[in-house]
Amino acid sequence: AGCYRGIPSPASATDRCSERARAHRREEMDVDQQGDAMEVDQEEQASKAFGELLEKAKDLETTAPDRAPQAYKDIIFNKADLEDPNAKGREQAIYALGEFYVAQKRPIDISALTKELRPLFSDLPKAKTAKIVKTLIDLLAKTTDSVHLQIELCTDTIEWCKAEKRTFLRQRVETRLAGLYLQDSKYAQAIELLEKLLIEVKKLDDKLLLVEIHMLECRTHYAVKNLPKSKAALTASKTNANAIHCPPLMQAEIDLWSGIISAREKDYRTSFSYFYEAFEAFNAAENAKAKTAMKYQLLSKIMQNRPQETSSIISSKSGLKYASTEIDAMAAIAKALEDRALKSFEAVRDQYKAQIDEDPIIAYHLDDLNETLLEQNILRILEPFSRVEIAHVAELIELPLSRTQAKLSEMILDQKLMGTLDQGIGVLIVFEQEQVRSTYGNSLKTIKNTSEVLDTLYGMAKQIA
């Protein structure tokens, strides 16, 4: 019995091993926690140090603006040699300096800063570099008359991306460059760049970027009045957007352009519903494009010949936020249309010429509406006449003689008016509207249908034989 007491049982040996292992793990966990705590403390200290330096630089913006850029650059290039493993402090300094240049209206300095930062980008993660570059281009876009400078910066950045083999960033900067070409009315260059990008991005199957590229393609083709290609690009954009979770503002942009294309096809009821969806999304995000979507809503109601419904849109809770000269212009157009007054319609267009003509989409549809109103007024004036002087028609409609004569010629050629112009004596001869009986047309349809039936019967008979 004594001998057996001196030999440890296997179970007790296993328990002691387990206890030692657990104790060892506890020690390791304590060391890890201490290490993590030290790292967190170091990050907090570094963040606090960068925060103090940023505060000093921001103070210099008001006290000594000339010294502020250098103070920011000292932080960006870490002259104080502070620990900044995630580059958060330096990133904040870059954005702060960019905002300072925007406030000071110094676009050239923003462009120079982007190039100056390139040696630093080699030490930063590629995703962070892409974010910084895109943010600086966005800041440059906030300055006035900087489109050409943005194009130069994007072109230069693309060359740098090619040299550094940064494909992700290059594709996004090229997309931005295509948008700038569109803004600068360089449509051929924009289409060429977008076609190359589409081939490359389709291979990568980057759906979100494809949505953006197709939307740019849609806008560019619309600008050059190629409606079929514009519609095809919009459909492709919708297809890719349905395959992913599309950001709300991007979806709102798709809805806006769906409405524009529908309006161009004269489907104003559908276009209004698209513009309403776009307005709701832009309004929720407090985006400036909400006002544009609201203008297009009013345009759809005007083109549907329901101008009385525009007042409820303008006076709604969300509509009142966007009260401006552009909205006043659309309200005045609606009032002129409601009164069926061509002269007041043209007077409103002259009064708000800047607000209407700056948007080619609204200008196009109002030109169309103006012609429709003019035709309706001419036909109403000519109802009691079979022969009338052109000068008298111009006097009644209160338009110059040359314009009245040109419009009458156009209406006769389009067969909207049955008559002829005797320019020798300056008279319009209006023909009586012939009542064409439907018997002749119906007879032709019957003969055609009978012929088709006989052809079918003959074919069946041949098969049986």
Side-chain angles (χ1 to χ4, degrees), residues 63-75:
T63 56
D66 295 338
R67 287 164 53 200
Q70 190 54 51
Y72 281 123
K73 284 178 183 178
D74 288 346
I75 301 168

Side-chain angles (χ1 to χ4, degrees), residues 193-210:
L193 182 57
L194 287 169
E195 283 174 353
K196 287 179 184 175
L197 258 176
L198 273 173
I199 294 165
E200 195 177 335
V201 177
K202 276 178 182 175
K203 289 176 185 175
L204 298 171
D205 202 31
D206 187 340
K207 298 287 188 190
L208 188 58
L209 188 57
L210 276 171

Side-chain angles (χ1 to χ4, degrees), residues 229-277:
K229 282 195 174 182
S230 179
K231 194 175 179 182
L234 180 66
T235 305
S237 185
K238 285 180 179 178
T239 305
N240 284 294
N242 289 336
I244 57 165
H245 172 68
C246 192
L249 287 178
M250 181 63 77
Q251 186 60 53
E253 187 76 15
I254 292 170
D255 288 337
L256 186 70
W257 275 93
S258 299
I260 290 167
I261 299 291
S262 297
R264 191 63 180 259
E265 293 176 335
K266 299 189 183 299
D267 185 1
Y268 297 111
R269 187 183 295 276
T270 306
S271 71
F272 177 80
S273 62
Y274 276 125
F275 292 141
Y276 179 78
E277 290 295 331

Side-chain angles (χ1 to χ4, degrees), residues 76 90-99 113 117 120 132 136:
I76 292 164
R90 286 175 287 173
E91 186 184 357
Q92 287 173 356
I94 291 166
Y95 299 152
L97 179 55
E99 292 285 358
L113 176 64
L117 290 171
L120 179 67
I132 291 168
L136 287 172

Side-chain angles (χ1 to χ4, degrees), residues 263-422:
R264 191 63 180 259
E265 293 176 335
K266 299 189 183 299
D267 185 1
Y268 297 111
R269 187 183 295 276
T270 306
S271 71
F272 177 80
S273 62
Y274 276 125
F275 292 141
Y276 179 78
E277 290 295 331
F279 174 75
E280 288 294 311
F282 285 132
N283 183 45
E286 296 186 350
N287 190 288
K289 286 186 179 179
K291 189 195 286 183
T292 305
M294 185 178 169
K295 278 196 300 181
Y296 293 162
Q297 281 186 81
L298 298 174
L299 177 69
S300 294
K301 288 295 182 187
I302 289 167
M303 296 307 292
Q304 282 183 69
N305 202 16
R306 292 157 73 180
Q308 64 278 4
E309 293 180 22
T310 56
S311 55
S312 59
I313 297 169
I314 295 166
S315 58
S316 66
K317 186 181 177 182
S318 52
L320 288 169
K321 287 177 10 185
Y322 301 102
S324 61
T325 319
E326 290 96 326
I327 302 300
D328 292 343
M330 297 307 293
I333 291 282
K335 181 72 173 67
L337 180 63
E338 200 171 350
D339 296 341
R340 293 283 169 193
L342 181 64
K343 194 174 180 183
S344 62
F345 181 86
E346 294 195 337
V348 168
R349 286 207 64 179
D350 288 337
Q351 183 185 348
Y352 294 102
K353 190 173 177 64
Q355 286 77 19
I356 290 168
D357 290 348
E358 73 179 7
D359 191 328
I361 293 160
I362 287 176
Y364 171 82
H365 287 289
L366 290 186
D367 284 341
D368 194 27
L369 180 62
N370 193 6
E371 293 302 308
T372 306
L373 271 177
L374 180 56
E375 287 170 9
Q376 288 173 356
N377 280 12
I378 287 173
L379 290 171
R380 192 176 70 243
I381 287 166
L382 294 176
E383 274 176 8
F385 298 105
S386 60
R387 185 184 179 92
V388 61
E389 289 183 0
I390 300 167
H392 184 59
V393 176
E395 188 182 330
L396 288 172
I397 207 164
E398 298 179 341
L399 283 175
L401 179 63
S402 57
R403 189 178 173 199
T404 306
Q405 189 169 316
K407 190 64 191 173
L408 287 169
S409 303
E410 186 187 314
M411 287 174 72
I412 290 166
L413 289 169
D414 292 343
Q415 297 184 348
K416 292 176 181 176
L417 173 63
M418 300 302 291
T420 185
L421 287 171
D422 189 341

